[in-house]
Amino acid sequence: MQPTASPRSVRIAVDIGGTFTDIEILDEATGQTFAVKTPTTPDDPSEGLITGLRLAGETVGFRFSDISALMHGTTIATNAVLQRRLPKGALITTAGFEDVLEIGRHFRKQVYASKAEPRVILIPRAWRLGIRERTLATGTIETPIDEAEVQRLAEKLKAGGIQCVAVCLLHAYANAEHEKRIGELLTKYAPELDVSLSHEVSPEIREFERSSTTVLNALLMPVVRRYLERLRSRLKAAGFEAPVYLVQSNGGVMSPETAALLPARLLLSGPSGGALAAETIARRLAMPDVVAVDMGGTSYDVSIVNGGRTRLVTEGNVDGLPVRLPMIEIRTIGSGGGSIALVEESGRLRVGPESAGAKPGPACYSRGGTEPTVTDANVVLGRIDPAFFLGGAMRLDAAAARTAVSTRVAERLSLAPEEAAEGILRVAVSHMAGAIRLSLFEKGLDPEDFTLLSFGGASGLHACDTADEIGIGRVVFPRDPGTLSAWGMLYSDVVHALARARLMKADVSAIPALREICSELARAGAERLSADGIAAPEQLLPIALDMRYPGQAYEIQVPFDWSTGSPEAALVSSIARFHEVHEAQYAHSEAHVTPEIVAVRIAATGKLKKPGEHAFAFEGSAAPKGRRAVYAAGGWHEAAIYERARLAANTKIDGPAIIEEAHATHFIPPGWELAPSPTGDLIATKRAGSAVQS
């Protein structure tokens, strides 16, 4: 599956979002990249992908036969969960543990409420089925399975119209023999079922999280398989023959075959590309501490680059459902350009999380939408030029935007349309700033030490105001910000994340088990990479340990460099790193206490060729292309309008100003100034002494 270069070789990255499909084209000979944006087709995202590829070929000038590889980020799995467009599924577990999903962790958001809030349960009680068997935590089989009972269950599943089944047995992470056999029997007696086995999806302790992850994986198997079949059919009909890689939540990529078996790894597929891009740009600008914010049409994603690296976590959450899989740490809220503004009965103005999406979209799209959105508010305030949206490819209806804001918000609050529109943006900015604060403060990080990296089609309109809100004084607008998540995918590698759970004391007594587990994981990782066509010199097999202090319910992951020297010395180094990270994250450590090892992990990585840095030169003029009235800070201002592609290297811009480009618009408020960087990025800085925007 390693991409191969042709005489005219291009690599394509596609990020299918809720509103737009973003495409980045890399010319592998020159290192140049080109961006294309096209509306998403929600009913069948593969249709929009093919349309976008054809448009990109016409725009940039390449044929499908010139494509060496396609890196594909998709929200198909996330949207299926959020919208509950899932097939009818079942769970087979050890008898007596059928209610694990319902019991959960007894976590309550409202601790003083008389009733617990409803829990998200994707498998109804009637289809959570127990089977007599028992494997102990040591891996010893105490009660064998009854194969006739499995056959009866298979018949029941078929009769009930079940399409997929999750198998999650007690302690299967320690010994998967029973799960494997049940999988074989289900395949024999009900071959039409999609079967997900917990030891293949998330072979770790914590029964609830493992069950939740396995259930999600099972329910997504038919959804993702159907999508991949449609995609494969459309690509074949279009004459596309290059390898396709699916972007995972951990920032790596995998083959469609692997994605069909492990679709839960796609749950943060799109946003992880933005985090990879942020890490790359942080290195390029020598800014190791960056808050990366990606604002599209539907959502707002926050990721942190600290010390030049994004953070991987071993567990995430999708709509209240735990996902026990490695993923880049990203906080997502429902705040995008399409977020709908409404006045509640109490008179409170709310913005999002509901979104107008791609269809019908904001009122200004003239596609049937009537609800006011963040995009409509920006049009009313003069921050978006209706004639230059998407570089002029799509004309907006300013009158429709004003009508929506006036009738749905301004009149109900007795405000002028401009005041109502600015109020919509203030509420949206407050939500975005809150998400950033949480992401920083929970790690003990100070916003003043960070730079805000703004990307996504809508982020540039609010980046400086959001930075103001939290005390960040510098904002970076990278090249091609509207498609930056797709650009970040060009830097992906093939990754297989594997884990083995084993609870043991982190001292010399653990060395024999660590040798055995590390050897097993390294061998399995190398085999999977070789099956992907990755040659041995391009394979990396880093091992990490999940550690905790005895009695803790959470772990910290630290590297374990077991293969380059003494495993004993490597363990000492890992323990020291654990104490250090614990101190940094939780403001205390207990260096006198020997920690526990909970799991051993490997991120088997196959290195793919990376884009080269393309030299950038500003060749335009420092003069604005025009001026227009923009409403900000409670009044109208005359703002200079600049076209990014025509900026000169020595341009100095004082706010209020607007920078326009094909797939994004950037608003520089009063009190801020902007200048180009030699890398082609634009850097806005808060002027000393300027008051925070209200």
Side-chain angles (χ1 to χ4, degrees), residues 1 70-72 224 244-267 269 492-496 532:
M1 279 184 64
L70 172 65
M71 325 295 274
H72 180 13
V224 171
V244 176
Y245 299 90
L246 277 295
V247 180
Q248 304 179 63
S249 303
N250 61 13
V253 295
M254 58 183 172
S255 69
E257 291 76 18
T258 303
L261 295 174
L262 298 171
R265 294 182 183 269
L266 299 176
L267 284 166
S269 175
S492 295
D493 293 311
V494 176
V495 177
H496 292 281
D532 288 332

Side-chain angles (χ1 to χ4, degrees), residues 89-93 164-168 194-197 211 214-216 218:
L91 169 66
I92 294 178
T93 187
C164 56
V165 59
V167 181
C168 188
D194 283 304
V195 179
S196 180
L197 307 177
S211 298
T214 307
V215 164
L216 274 171

Side-chain angles (χ1 to χ4, degrees), residues 29 37 90 118 141 179 187 216 219 230 241 266 276 283 326 329 339 362 394 403 449 518 536 553 625 633 673:
K37 207 174 186 79
I141 293 176
E179 278 197 356
T187 301
L216 274 171
L219 293 171
R230 290 195 303 270
E241 298 179 353
L266 299 176
L276 286 174
R283 286 195 299 268
E329 187 177 38
S339 292
M394 180 178 175
T403 298
D449 297 331
C518 290
K625 72 173 188 178
E673 56 189 16

Side-chain angles (χ1 to χ4, degrees), residues 45 94 120 124 133 198 249 301 314 348 374 415 418 428 448 470 519 570 582 613 646 655 658 676 678 680:
T94 304
V120 178
E133 69 85 37
S198 77
S249 303
D301 301 318
T314 56
R348 171 176 174 261
V374 171
L415 297 173
E418 295 81 7
E448 292 186 1
I470 56 177
S519 297
H582 199 285
E613 277 296 324
R646 297 181 180 177
I658 289 175

Side-chain angles (χ1 to χ4, degrees), residues 454 460 463-464 475-479 644 666 668 674 680-684:
S454 165
C464 292
V475 176
V476 173
F477 302 101
R479 303 188 321 236
R644 181 168 186 163
H666 313 294
I668 313 303
L674 179 140
D681 306 294
L682 304 180
I683 300 178

Side-chain angles (χ1 to χ4, degrees), residues 50 53-54 57 62-68 235 238-242:
I50 296 296
L53 288 180
R54 289 197 173 108
F62 65 84
R63 298 167 299 177
F64 279 10
S65 58
D66 296 328
I67 299 175
S68 66
L235 290 173
F240 185 98
E241 298 179 353

